[in-house]
Amino acid sequence: MKIIILGAGQVGTSLALSLEGEDNDITLIDSDPKRLAYIQDHLDLRTIVGHAAHPDVLEKAGIDDTDMLVAVTSSDEVNMIACQIAHSLYQTPSKIARIRSSNYHDKSEIFTNNHIPVDVVISPEKLVTEYIERLVDNPGAFQVLDFANGLVRLVAVKAYYGGPLVGNALAEIKQHLPNVDTRVAAIFRRGKPIVPTGHTVIEADDEVFFLAAKKHIRSVMSELQRLEKNYQRVIIAGGGNIGQGLAKRLEKKMLVKIIERDPQRAEELANNLEDTLVLHGDVSDEDLLNDENISEFDLFIAVTNDDDANIMSALLAKRLGVRKTMVLINRTAYVDLIPGHEIDIAISPQQVTIGSLLTHIRRGHVSSVYSLRRGAAEAIEAVAKGNEQTSLVVGRAISEIALPPGTSIGAIVRGDEVIIAHDSVIIRKDDHVVLFMIDKDYIQDVERLFQVNVTYF
């Protein structure tokens, strides 16, 4: 496809990186020439310096015959105006905009061709909030991804000594859990991917990605590590959109406190939240954390806009005795360096957002995409369409499907039924098929599998 990306920030650059090398024609527009020069030195794409919503800049980028406009600048208004211009002047077929402000999201009826023509609205704050909530609901997991509206989940955990399956072959999980169906989609051992078989032996410190119905997640996790107790007491550092949204989601389930530095914002939080205790202060104030008995809390979640403040406050909270820490990290280079003994989970908002963007860019009948392992791997939910004559998957057993190297089918959702993938399972029309790819270079082959021949109507 021919794609124009507006905004060369973390999200725009990460998206360009994900799409580069997939036979897409990508142009990246930004007002910062130094940033674009750096990107062009590292990526094979076209860059243009200019205002993202100006028609002359868009024309220079080739908007006349562009398939898709992705507006991810830091300004909601610039993103919306760019989509309006692309629609009104150039009839661009597909327009995606990142919209941060909840004021716009609360009036979603404005995003129509008769008003503001945005086909897909992406809210990074909402996506990150939902992502963190899933982690909070599943202690011990470092990634929890929903497919088919939450009926099936892909969960990533680290295997530890004490887990019954550690040191044993995967085939033994059926003996341990005879009433639970699950599939290990991939294992990363010392950073390298392994395509698992029944003979694969789980080792301590393996990163294990498994698929199971939502109700079976805890049972499978118990095979790979000692189950952690559910979180009951949580402190959130930072009262921005993510902090407030997270507090709203958690306050009915557990004890929640939130720390906010700005007095006016703290007052707004106190008015907007029902069962959350709002504290005015610095997230790295040792006296404040001690006064609030941080050592008695299960979880400290740092979600301010400052990476350094998030890291330092989480380190301090861990030293003062909190059980677990989660940290929001905007700088991509930090994400893999941070997790360890003191900081348990580092969350990249860019990686969370990229998956949502890719969902609308991937060809074939793709309904969900998650970017994994810094974009090297992907988990995809695709819908099987057509019939045995027009589809490469419908009416075929999984063993008969020519999957690309490193790609596996983990689960199928048929209506409300979750079917964990086995070789003999036959894919039917309208099945939701969950695939795991350890090598994103084969994405076009997967897309082709789920494209319908032109003779299908």
Side-chain angles (χ1 to χ4, degrees), residues 409-423:
I409 294 176
I412 295 165
V413 179
R414 184 172 295 156
D416 292 332
E417 180 187 7
V418 176
I419 304 167
I420 298 301
H422 300 287
D423 285 348

Side-chain angles (χ1 to χ4, degrees), residues 375-393:
E378 281 188 11
I380 299 172
E381 176 187 346
V383 183
K385 293 291 184 182
N387 54 42
E388 292 184 31
Q389 286 71 47
T390 60
S391 169
L392 295 173
V393 296

